[in-house]
Amino acid sequence: MPLQNDFQSTNLLRRYFVAVTALVLLIFGGYLFHFETSRKSALDQEIINVSGQQRMLSQRIALLAHWLSHDELKNNWISSIMVENIKDFEHNHRWITSNGMSLGPEIESHYFGTSRPNLDQRTQEFARVSKNLLSGKQNLTQSAKILKYIEVEASGPFLKDLDRAVKLFEVAANGRAERLDIIQRLAVATTLIVLFIEILFVFYPGYKKMQFLIQRLNIKASTDDLTELENRSGSLARLRALFEDSPKKIARTVLFAVDLDDFKGLNDTFGHPAGDQILQNVAHVMKQTLANDERLDFYCASRTGGDEFILWACVSSLFDQKTVVRTLCQQLDQRLNKPIKIRLLDHQIHECNVSVSIGYVLGQSPHTSVETFLSRADMALYFSKSRGKGVATEFTSVMEHSGLTQKTLNPAFERPEFS
């Protein structure tokens, strides 16, 4: 089954997409909500400030109207200031009635309610009468009545209505601020809860699955698909790690280079599928032979390519090293020197004999490189192959020099010894 199906990668990506989309929407929605909250808070504060200005402007207009009636020398200056104040007063009223009514029905009722006169009517009337006073078309009696109206309104009912409007705006703004604060807290809590749920049920399981997938891919990258042994790169990586992390174990480590004898002839005779079955059988025997020996601290069996294998193991005791090696070579020979049943392309069962040649090198000094370790095992294997089938040869330092003869070889076994 493909790895994608094993880990349901499509579902995982879909869950990631939904989770990330939900987070983005929550964050974006939170930003918009925060922006809208800030805008409304600023608007509420502005409404309170402007309503306070209305109260102040009504008092100023009344004061200017009083000065206008008693100081004829400064009439022009007072008139110009009063005109500006009336304009501000009317502008503020229009702005409040356009923006402040959203704060609640009580405020709207206060400005536009059925009771007569309401604040909207009082404000418009106050501004209209103030402008009439500035026109100068009234006689003294009419001017006195207008002035009295302005002064009474500015200190009586109109002032009370303006004061009540300021308080209503403050109460409404505070209430809305409290509601918005609660909603904002709930939004933050919701985001945190959603994030926690996504971490618990989406991201963390996805992270674990990705870790498992990476681990599987690493294993697959270091494993031979046919024999399920480690491949060359995986075996060498572990061997290098041993050399770097545990130099004391190098002296107890034995490296075997194994090669099937006449494998090409078997492959050509019976076909590649049969050859694959032989390789799988040989790999199983090698792995089981190492696994069944309790004198090994750890071991590794790998296929390096074709019919070539590398086995290496760390012997528990340095004193038993040679005995363990001879035993392993003998067991490999005995277990592999048996007819192997293979299924041919025509589905017939056929038996064939397999033998292996082995070159091995005993533990080296901590300063020996992995490449040197391997080359010495390969050199010993070369001498085994040169001596015939089913031979195991230990590496000796003499092999690295020219002029070698058969007397320099140190065979661990030859098949006649066990026949």
Side-chain angles (χ1 to χ4, degrees):
M1 183 178 294
L3 288 176
Q4 288 86 346
N5 293 337
D6 289 343
F7 305 111
Q8 299 178 343
S9 59
T10 302
N11 291 335
L12 182 61
L13 289 175
R14 186 181 296 113
R15 288 164 61 188
Y16 268 12
F17 176 77
V18 172
V20 171
T21 302
L23 276 181
V24 170
L25 290 177
L26 281 172
I27 293 172
F28 184 70
Y31 171 78
L32 291 179
F33 178 77
H34 177 73
F35 176 80
E36 183 65 14
T37 300
S38 301
R39 188 190 69 81
K40 287 183 177 179
S41 297
L43 178 62
D44 292 348
Q45 189 62 43
E46 184 69 13
I47 290 172
I48 294 172
N49 292 337
V50 173
S51 64
Q53 289 177 14
Q54 288 295 83
R55 181 175 56 186
M56 179 190 67
L57 286 171
S58 68
Q59 301 299 300
R60 186 179 295 176
I61 291 171
L63 179 61
L64 291 170
H66 179 78
W67 288 352
L68 188 66
S69 301
H70 295 82
D71 195 344
E72 297 181 359
L73 296 176
K74 297 182 179 180
N75 276 357
N76 291 336
W77 176 73
I78 294 172
S79 297
S80 62
I81 296 177
M82 190 172 174
V83 168
E84 292 299 323
N85 280 265
I86 293 173
K87 287 182 179 178
D88 292 340
F89 185 75
E90 290 180 318
H91 171 77
N92 286 350
H93 179 67
R94 287 193 298 270
W95 187 87
I96 288 175
T97 55
S98 298
N99 297 280
M101 301 304 103
S102 61
L103 283 173
E106 189 174 1
I107 293 174
E108 186 173 5
S109 176
H110 183 59
Y111 269 86
F112 302 105
T114 56
S115 61
R116 295 291 185 268
N118 54 39
L119 183 55
D120 177 59
Q121 293 171 337
R122 283 184 181 277
T123 302
Q124 293 186 38
E125 181 65 15
F126 186 83
R128 184 186 66 79
V129 171
S130 299
K131 287 190 287 186
N132 284 341
L133 182 64
L134 287 172
S135 65
K137 297 179 179 180
Q138 302 85 8
N139 55 37
L140 292 177
T141 303
Q142 291 174 330
S143 297
K145 289 181 178 180
I146 293 174
L147 177 61
K148 184 177 181 180
Y149 169 82
I150 293 174
E151 290 177 342
V152 169
E153 285 290 298
S155 61
F158 185 45
L159 179 62
K160 291 180 180 179
D161 282 350
L162 291 176
D163 284 337
R164 185 165 183 266
V166 173
K167 292 178 180 179
L168 288 175
F169 282 128
E170 289 176 345
V171 171
N174 290 334
R176 181 154 75 174
E178 290 176 359
R179 291 193 299 273
L180 291 176
D181 182 65
I182 293 173
I183 295 173
Q184 193 165 16
R185 290 175 184 271
L186 290 174
V188 172
T190 302
T191 302
L192 292 177
I193 292 172
V194 171
L195 181 60
F196 175 77
I197 292 174
E198 289 183 350
I199 290 175
L200 190 62
F201 295 103
V202 179
F203 293 111
Y204 180 72
Y207 168 74
K208 297 298 289 184
K209 287 185 178 181
M210 290 299 294
Q211 271 194 327
F212 184 57
L213 176 59
I214 291 172
Q215 185 180 9
R216 285 287 302 273
L217 290 175
N218 288 334
I219 293 174
K220 186 174 179 64
S222 60
T223 303
D224 176 60
D225 292 334
L226 179 63
T227 61
E228 296 184 355
L229 299 179
E230 289 192 3
N231 57 24
R232 182 179 181 85
S233 62
S235 178
L236 293 185
R238 289 184 59 188
L239 193 58
R240 287 192 176 92
L242 173 68
F243 273 54
E244 294 174 1
D245 300 337
S246 307
K248 292 182 179 180
K249 294 181 180 179
I250 299 175
R252 296 188 281 116
T253 301
V254 183
L255 180 64
F256 301 88
V258 183
D259 188 86
L260 272 65
D261 297 321
D262 298 328
F263 178 71
K264 184 177 183 304
L266 294 173
N267 228 2
D268 294 341
T269 302
F270 300 109
H272 291 286
D276 291 345
Q277 295 176 53
I278 294 172
L279 291 173
Q280 290 171 337
N281 185 275
V282 169
H284 176 74
V285 170
M286 290 179 177
K287 190 173 182 178
Q288 287 299 114
T289 300
L290 294 174
N292 292 336
D293 199 319
E294 297 180 352
R295 296 168 296 179
L296 304 180
D297 286 345
F298 51 84
Y299 62 89
C300 176
S302 62
R303 180 189 176 205
T304 58
D307 60 339
E308 298 175 355
F309 297 84
I310 288 178
L311 314 177
W312 57 271
C314 183
V315 183
S316 300
S317 173
L318 187 61
F319 299 102
D320 296 334
Q321 192 177 52
K322 287 185 176 294
T323 303
V324 172
V325 170
R326 287 183 61 84
T327 302
L328 289 175
C329 290
Q330 183 178 0
Q331 289 176 348
L332 287 172
D333 178 71
Q334 290 177 345
R335 293 173 181 177
L336 291 175
N337 188 27
K338 293 179 180 180
I340 298 177
K341 292 183 179 181
I342 56 175
R343 183 181 295 274
L344 302 181
L345 293 176
D346 58 3
H347 302 292
Q348 293 184 3
I349 303 300
H350 184 80
E351 292 185 349
C352 62
N353 296 320
V354 177
S355 65
V356 295
S357 295
I358 302 174
Y360 66 92
V361 55
L362 300 179
Q364 304 290 292
S365 71
H367 304 293
T368 305
S369 66
V370 174
E371 288 71 19
T372 301
F373 211 14
L374 286 170
S375 65
R376 289 174 177 175
D378 286 337
M379 193 177 300
L381 175 62
Y382 169 78
F383 279 95
S384 293
K385 298 289 285 186
S386 67
R387 298 181 60 195
K389 301 178 181 179
V391 177
T393 303
E394 178 187 351
F395 169 81
T396 64
S397 58
V398 182
M399 292 181 184
E400 292 182 320
H401 306 287
S402 59
L404 296 175
T405 64
Q406 189 172 346
K407 294 179 180 180
T408 64
L409 304 179
N410 181 19
F413 75 84
E414 293 184 29
R415 190 168 281 113
E417 296 177 20
F418 306 105
S419 59

